Amino acid sequence: MQQRILILMSDTGGGHRASAQALKAGFDERYPGRFAIEIIDVITDYLPWPLNQMPKAYPFLSNDAPWLWKLLYGNQTHGLSRTLSQVGSRLAVGRISQAFEQHAPDLIISVHPLMQVVSFLAMAQMQRRIPYVTVVTDLTTAHPLWFHPQVDAVYVASDNTYAMAEHAGLPADRIHLLGLPIRPAFAQPPRPRPELRAALGMAQDEPAVLLIGGGEGIGPVEEIARRCNRALGESGAGQIVVVCGRNKAMQERLAALDWAIPAAINGFVDNMQEWMAACDCIVTKAGPGTIAEALICGLPIILSGFIPGQEEGNVPYVVDNGVGAYIEEPAEIAATVARWFGPQRDALSGMSERARSMGHPQATFDIVNSIVGVLEAKTA
Ligand code: UDP
């Protein structure tokens, strides 16, 4: 009989849903037919108003009100967010235990920082302890609410989050440092570059910079694209790929631009692994998923910004490991790319090699195998 796995996520940022889908794909590929896996958006679909409005507030909080975000995230104010989460969890616990009764999972996977407290309250109320693991989808800085001492396993992607799990009271045999759960497509070696570039309509011989603004196409991507067009046009080497995400207006404006270099302007792409494998460096905000994917593909990274709180530590992670730079100013980003494609090509290859050595292409499968081990141990 199929065993049931319930994945708890919420759409606060693209990463949680993407991680949930990556894990589901990993189970389906490695254990075909063995598990029935459901993904639920706990906050939107199960919580009462106004708690269910939280995902809508996320873009506002992280982009427009960073001071408030910092307050919820700041080291000195963790007590505040813990109190808020406990109040919210008490309001939500009835609905969550109903969800657990309804889905009747053999194992629960959480990919969201706000799920732990309410889930353990719900299980206490139900007087039923369902095997429960947390997969942390932040890379280096993470909110302490991710780490609950009673989980059967926690999966982390950096020394920093490992230390946070230890600090929360988890013993070493329940903490697993395996990398972020990235879509299984990144675990496959890419097609040869000439073939990829031909299929993607790119120029064959020019080095390529990939600009992405996260799933929603936020950030100063447009200005960076214009500056790269000018700088690479003047230096005589380079091509550009822009991924605008769901930002249609920006996509249209960039498509209409008078390009001095070969340019591929995309909306939301679902073959990111191909675009990354076909390019030579990437400019992005400090999103954990994008950084982990870029490392797997050996792409040196220019970080153009970060969300205060959970993305903050990703900046030193990239810079201190020698796989890229943090530059906010679009003209300076463009000048750096032009140097990397010109006099600093050797430095670019060095960063590329270091990036590849830091990547975890098999992370999703390693996490999935370990979770199956937890389930087998619990049901033996
Ligand atoms: N992404 C994608 N297609 C796009 C734009 C983004 O597949 O057109 C993916 C990207 O590869 C990454 C995720 O969206 O896996 C973004 O996650 P990240 O953690 O970098 O940032 P978030 O949007 O969650 O803040």
Side-chain angles (χ1 to χ4, degrees), residues 120 123 127-132 150-152 174 378:
F120 278 88
M123 289 191 282
Q127 298 187 338
R128 188 165 157 232
R129 176 62 167 83
I130 304 161
Y132 191 104
Q150 288 170 38
V151 297
D152 297 301
R174 281 194 264 148
K378 292 282 162 194

Side-chain angles (χ1 to χ4, degrees), residues 300 322-324 339-340 342-354:
V323 293
R339 280 197 301 277
W340 283 1
Q344 296 178 355
R345 285 216 75 155
D346 289 349
L348 187 70
S349 341
M351 286 188 282
S352 170
E353 268 170 45
R354 281 193 291 280

Side-chain angles (χ1 to χ4, degrees), residues 2 35 62 127 147 238 308 327 363:
Q2 273 192 324
F35 300 104
S62 54
Q127 298 187 338
F147 304 98
I327 311 170

Side-chain angles (χ1 to χ4, degrees), residues 284-307:
T284 175
K285 74 165 183 93
T290 306
I291 293 173
E293 291 163 358
L295 293 177
I296 291 171
C297 297
L299 284 183
I301 302 165
I302 294 180
L303 296 174
S304 59
F306 62 89
I307 297 174

